[in-house]
Amino acid sequence: MVPHPGPSPADPAPDPAPDAASVPAPDAASDAASDAPSDAVADPARRRGAERALDHALDLALDHLLDPKRLLDLTLGALLLTLTAPLLAAAALTLTLSPRHPGGAFTHEPRVGLDGRVFTVRSLATRRHRLDLLSRLPHVVRGEMSLVGPAPLAPGDPRAAAPWRQHVRPGLTGLAQVRRRSPWPWDEPVLLDQHYVEHHWIGLDLVILARTPAAATAPYGAGPAAARIPAQGHLSDTDHRPRGYSAAG
């Protein structure tokens, strides 16, 4: 009888049959995700909408940076904030430690800003040396307020709903502030704020900023010379109220 030859030692052992339990099952979720197109590819309209939104945001940012009034607010506002920061910090510390200010060093009040948006104004709780106005400089740098503009009003104030107020940021100072000690009865703050909004330009802002320190310390009824502010629109010491105008209306 011829013996059956066995496997040669040099031949590799056959691989064992794979166990069905050890073979990983296909991931149905990953297969579906790989087969399905992305949202950007599947929905071109959505992609175009996102691109248009991005272009609009870039255009707004460019216009924002090229606006002379905004450039003045950024440069001069940042400079004033840097120069007054030590004084404001010392005042805040003094108010914090003072027993006469149990509510803290700052007040927080809602105000209506550009395009009717409401924001919270944070001010030092003092009127001494107008530090309360200087403490609002961070709002100017952030773009919530301007160095020059109409007075910031509370959301519930009926005057805040005037359409002309929606076009500018409220200011730390303004035409109404530098003429508030005028002896003329028709120099009403609301009318002056509206005149500023309708005729403001960078030169008028610079004049108002230059006059603000003197106007803040001048006595009431200081005379016409102290009240005159040259402005585009020829604001003068004549009665410039519209026919039938009433501050109550």
Side-chain angles (χ1 to χ4, degrees):
M1 178 179 293
V2 180
H4 181 74
S8 172
D11 295 337
D15 294 334
D19 189 359
S22 64
V23 177
D27 190 350
S30 61
D31 290 345
S34 61
D35 294 338
S38 64
D39 290 342
V41 175
D43 193 352
R46 185 182 303 178
R47 185 175 68 241
R48 289 194 297 269
E51 292 173 351
R52 285 195 297 267
L54 179 60
D55 292 340
H56 180 64
L58 292 175
D59 291 340
L60 289 178
L62 185 60
D63 294 340
H64 185 73
L65 292 176
L66 295 180
D67 180 15
K69 184 175 178 62
R70 182 58 187 148
L71 287 176
L72 178 65
D73 288 341
L74 279 174
T75 55
L76 186 56
L79 177 62
L80 290 174
L81 182 59
T82 302
L83 295 176
T84 59
L87 178 62
L88 295 175
L93 179 61
T94 301
L95 292 172
T96 301
L97 300 178
S98 173
R100 293 182 297 177
H101 294 83
F106 291 92
T107 62
H108 300 80
E109 300 170 318
R111 290 294 183 263
V112 179
L114 183 67
D115 296 327
R117 292 190 295 266
V118 178
F119 66 101
T120 301
V121 174
R122 184 171 179 263
S123 310
L124 279 174
T126 179
R127 304 295 288 180
R128 182 172 300 178
H129 306 304
R130 307 315 303 267
L131 292 179
D132 57 328
L133 294 181
L134 292 175
S135 66
R136 297 177 184 178
L137 283 170
H139 294 291
V140 175
V141 176
R142 288 198 296 264
E144 297 166 331
M145 296 185 68
S146 179
L147 291 173
V148 181
L153 300 177
D157 194 319
R159 298 171 297 172
W164 53 266
R165 285 187 178 272
Q166 313 300 315
H167 303 304
V168 295
R169 297 175 179 84
L172 300 187
T173 186
L175 189 60
Q177 283 70 38
V178 297
R179 291 182 67 103
R180 67 189 179 91
R181 300 178 188 272
S182 165
W184 307 119
W186 49 82
D187 273 350
E188 298 171 3
V190 175
L191 190 60
L192 291 170
D193 280 341
Q194 183 176 359
H195 180 92
Y196 170 80
V197 172
E198 294 173 350
H199 301 96
H200 74 90
W201 64 297
I202 196 67
L204 178 59
D205 281 11
L206 293 174
V207 171
I208 291 175
L209 288 172
R211 298 289 183 90
T212 295
T217 58
Y220 282 94
R228 291 194 182 98
I229 295 291
Q232 188 179 31
H234 309 292
L235 180 65
S236 67
D237 293 324
T238 59
D239 189 345
H240 45 262
R241 292 176 294 183
R243 184 182 299 275
Y245 173 80
S246 171

